Amino acid sequence: MKSLFEKKDILSIHEEESDLSSLNKVLNVKDLTFFGIAAIIGAGIFSTIGRASYDGGPAVSLLFVFVSVACVFTALCYAQFASMIPISGSAYTYAYYSLGEVFAWVIGWALILEYAVSNIVVAISWSEYFTSMLAGFGIHWADWLAIDYGSAHHALERMKEFTASGENVPEHFIKAAQTFQNAPELLGHKIIFDLPAGLVTIFITILAYIGIKESRNVSNALVFLKLGIIIFVIVAGAFFVKPENWSPFMPNGIGGVMSGVAAVFFAFIGFDSLSTMSEETKNPQRDMPRAMIYCLVICTLLYVLISLVLTGMVNYKELRVDDPLAYVFDKVDMNFVAGIISVSAVIAITSALLIYQIGQPRIWMTMSRDGLLGKRFSKIHPKFKTPSFSTLVTGGLVGLPAMFLDMQFVVDLTSVGTFFAFILVCAGTLFLDNKKLTAKAKFKIPYINGQYIISPLLMVALFLFFTKTDYVSVISEKPLIVCFWLVWSGLAISALKYKFSLIPVLGILFNLYLMTELGISNWLMFIIWLALGLVIYFCFGYRHSRLISNRKSDCS
């Protein structure tokens, strides 16, 4: 049991850094900030923001603020770790140095799922805008090659329900149902798949394979275009905003707003992807913390503004579409702007896809170097200086599912692993602070003594929960809320003894609360994935762990 929690020695970090495979160190703070913006401003702002607005109404803008606050606390913890540990691997690496190997494996395994799922969503969204762009130029892409089987079949079933109830049938349901009916057949089965999603993944995988410098140049150019288009949309859309569309501001209550957590939060994993590029950064201890904070502030502001414009231009009930920005301008007869958005989204979403495809292979590379995955995953291409095998595997794990899975199903799988990783990074920060190992960090989280703050906040929160809510129904609908209160109580007691820093504690609590808002499908998939990961760890990773093997050698 003791060996499962073996930690890397943070005091010997520079020795380990010098032993690592050589990657090209070409990134600076501007490049990292742009990478972060490229990852965060992707499918979230061009696609899933519509689904979140449909559930939460105009108040979805508050959800972006709430999620970003949780991310700010977490980003500060990431930034402190990045200033201490300039090694690729993201939360996986940070957990290895602070909490031990088994926690590191769990985080790394969770992030494999989160990165893959996030990129599948991005690829599907790219396909939606790509076919819309082609239609704008008068080119018709075959409908049965631009949608997944599940969505088309579901639309046909929903058509029957709408017809029976006499309700108006949404336009996108009609189109998808017709696609299913008209699709060609092979051996009695409909042939339906999303070909553009697979093709763009192949293209991005090739770009990520040939080098970080090339990826940086493409990403920076795409981000400039992306920011220009988003600012244009905000300014142009403001002229079509009808304040009555913001009333009611929270039509489905706080529950409706929070139901969009999964659709919103997956985008914010973008700042995590920055920490996978530490070994390709010229001065990671200085530039990583700055870039994480810069990109998070910029992206939050843009998300809030764009959500207010979208819900102000049309009624929130019309926004359950995969291309909401183009849709709202089409509704106000600004087809020219809708066309510009479709073209721009195709280009801009590509940059988000690129960042995730760069990030995931580097997590695998780091896990492989530690012996927890096969040696091929850490293979560095002699010419391109990229983790070549890991990059190709990532392309396959994203490209194939993107062609066959429904976006809503994929969105429901996101976020649990990310929240879990964020919580453990914040917990690791508390652990290192307590062990006095953060004194030499080049970026330090501002210390606010939580000793006499966390407990009073808990008392106030419990009072409001039991007096201002129907707590019985809340607990029955979201039983994990009990875990939230227990963790808060434990942190309050521990803070009295250890004088915990307030910011990491708030990071843990915000992320844990957001976890309680996720649906059962999120949790079920995460638990299954986690169980599979632990089987692989005990069958392979534990037996081949370099850290455990070295410690056993030292002891003998």
Side-chain angles (χ1 to χ4, degrees):
M1 287 297 296
K2 182 180 179 182
S3 63
L4 294 178
F5 300 96
E6 289 280 2
K7 304 178 186 68
K8 290 186 177 182
D9 185 2
I10 202 166
L11 298 178
S12 61
I13 183 67
H14 296 293
E15 295 178 18
E16 180 173 351
E17 187 182 4
S18 63
D19 293 337
L20 299 177
S21 300
S22 175
L23 298 175
N24 284 334
K25 289 184 173 292
V26 298
L27 304 178
N28 56 33
V29 67
K30 184 198 78 173
D31 299 324
L32 291 169
T33 302
F34 274 38
F35 271 133
I37 294 172
I40 296 174
I41 303 293
I45 208 163
F46 282 100
S47 182
T48 56
I49 191 173
R51 294 172 181 264
S53 299
Y54 175 83
D55 293 322
V60 73
S61 56
L62 300 180
L63 177 58
F64 284 109
V65 174
F66 191 71
V67 168
S68 67
V69 168
C71 287
V72 165
F73 294 136
T74 309
L76 289 171
C77 296
Y78 264 86
Q80 181 168 291
F81 267 115
S83 73
M84 299 166 62
I85 307 172
I87 294 175
S88 295
S90 179
Y92 160 80
T93 299
Y94 304 155
Y96 218 145
Y97 281 91
S98 58
L99 301 176
E101 182 172 284
V102 71
F103 283 109
W105 169 266
V106 168
I107 287 183
W109 188 249
L111 288 177
I112 288 173
L113 176 66
E114 295 304 308
Y115 271 77
V117 166
S118 296
N119 241 3
I120 291 169
V121 173
V122 175
I124 295 172
S125 176
W126 185 93
S127 175
E128 293 275 353
Y129 276 100
F130 175 73
T131 53
S132 296
M133 179 192 72
L134 291 182
F137 288 107
I139 303 171
H140 178 69
W141 183 274
D143 292 336
W144 58 277
L145 289 177
I147 190 172
D148 64 278
Y149 181 95
S151 294
H153 184 265
H154 173 70
L156 184 64
E157 296 300 316
R158 288 285 288 151
M159 280 281 291
K160 298 175 183 177
E161 296 176 15
F162 281 119
T163 303
S165 63
E167 296 180 58
N168 291 327
V169 184
E171 201 172 306
H172 62 282
F173 273 114
I174 297 174
K175 181 180 178 181
Q178 290 174 342
T179 298
F180 186 86
Q181 292 174 321
N182 299 330
E185 295 186 12
L186 179 65
L187 301 177
H189 295 281
K190 295 288 186 179
I191 303 174
I192 301 175
F193 60 97
D194 195 344
L195 181 59
L199 293 177
V200 71
T201 305
I202 293 173
F203 168 73
I204 291 299
T205 301
I206 293 172
L207 184 58
Y209 185 91
I210 64 174
I212 190 67
K213 184 183 293 185
E214 292 77 8
S215 300
R216 177 199 64 185
N217 295 339
V218 171
S219 175
N220 287 353
L222 295 179
V223 168
F224 273 117
L225 174 63
K226 181 189 299 189
L227 291 178
I229 293 300
I230 291 174
I231 293 171
F232 170 73
V233 167
I234 292 171
V235 174
F239 290 99
F240 296 94
V241 167
K242 297 177 181 178
E244 57 266 26
N245 285 330
W246 288 333
S247 181
F249 189 70
M250 197 181 294
N252 298 315
I254 190 65
V257 175
M258 299 306 294
S259 67
V261 166
V264 167
F265 193 83
F266 88 93
F268 282 90
I269 194 178
F271 77 83
D272 173 276
S273 65
L274 295 185
S275 56
T276 67
M277 304 175 196
S278 290
E279 292 174 39
E280 289 148 300
T281 302
K282 296 175 183 177
N283 190 342
Q285 290 98 331
R286 182 196 66 191
D287 293 344
M288 278 285 174
R290 294 181 182 180
M292 288 179 182
I293 302 303
Y294 293 163
C295 72
L296 200 55
V297 171
I298 293 170
C299 294
T300 300
L301 179 62
L302 292 176
Y303 267 119
V304 170
L305 291 175
I306 204 73
S307 62
L308 289 173
V309 168
L310 281 177
T311 54
M313 291 178 68
V314 301
N315 188 279
Y316 71 94
K317 294 180 181 179
E318 300 182 44
L319 288 173
R320 194 170 189 175
V321 294
D322 290 330
D323 54 349
L325 269 66
Y327 176 80
V328 294
F329 279 98
D330 185 58
K331 289 288 291 184
V332 296
D333 296 324
M334 291 286 288
N335 296 326
F336 173 70
V337 177
I340 292 176
I341 291 171
S342 293
V343 175
S344 304
V346 168
I347 300 171
I349 295 177
T350 304
S351 65
L353 193 61
L354 174 61
I355 305 310
Y356 289 126
Q357 289 297 90
I358 290 174
Q360 182 165 320
R362 282 149 181 80
I363 295 176
W364 284 354
M365 175 191 72
T366 309
M367 295 173 75
S368 173
R369 288 191 309 213
D370 293 329
L372 304 186
L373 288 178
K375 292 182 179 179
R376 293 192 69 184
F377 284 95
S378 58
K379 181 181 178 182
I380 304 298
H381 195 283
K383 177 181 178 181
F384 302 127
K385 302 299 182 182
T386 58
S388 50
F389 179 75
S390 295
T391 301
L392 294 176
V393 173
T394 298
L397 286 181
V398 172
L400 289 175
M403 290 192 289
F404 300 102
L405 295 182
D406 169 30
M407 178 183 279
Q408 188 58 53
F409 172 77
V410 178
V411 167
D412 285 342
L413 300 183
T414 64
S415 299
V416 176
T418 307
F419 284 129
F420 191 65
F422 286 1
I423 288 170
L424 290 188
V425 168
C426 294
T429 302
L430 291 176
F431 177 83
L432 293 184
D433 279 344
N434 183 251
K435 296 296 182 180
K436 311 299 183 185
L437 294 174
T438 58
K440 295 183 179 180
K442 293 190 177 182
F443 173 87
K444 284 279 292 178
I445 296 173
Y447 178 75
I448 302 173
N449 189 349
Q451 186 177 25
Y452 301 116
I453 299 176
I454 299 169
S455 294
L457 287 177
L458 173 63
M459 296 298 104
V460 172
L462 284 172
F463 174 78
L464 294 175
F465 178 69
F466 285 108
T467 60
K468 301 298 182 180
T469 69
D470 184 2
Y471 59 88
V472 175
S473 63
V474 171
I475 292 174
S476 63
E477 293 173 7
K478 298 184 296 183
L480 282 170
I481 198 72
V482 175
C483 177
F484 170 73
W485 293 118
L486 290 175
V487 170
W488 195 342
S489 301
L491 287 171
I493 295 170
S494 300
L496 291 173
K497 179 178 180 181
Y498 298 110
K499 299 181 180 180
F500 282 161
S501 175
L502 182 62
I503 288 177
V505 170
L506 291 177
I508 293 172
L509 294 177
F510 268 84
N511 284 296
L512 185 58
Y513 178 76
L514 289 172
M515 285 181 80
T516 67
E517 295 289 337
L518 298 175
I520 187 66
S521 62
N522 301 70
W523 282 98
L524 183 61
M525 185 63 186
F526 178 68
I527 291 170
I528 293 172
W529 181 257
L530 185 60
L532 175 62
L534 289 174
V535 169
I536 294 174
Y537 172 72
F538 285 110
C539 291
F540 180 88
Y542 178 79
R543 298 173 185 271
H544 296 84
S545 168
R546 288 181 58 191
L547 180 64
I548 293 177
S549 298
N550 291 340
R551 294 289 166 84
K552 288 180 179 178
S553 299
D554 292 342
C555 291
S556 61

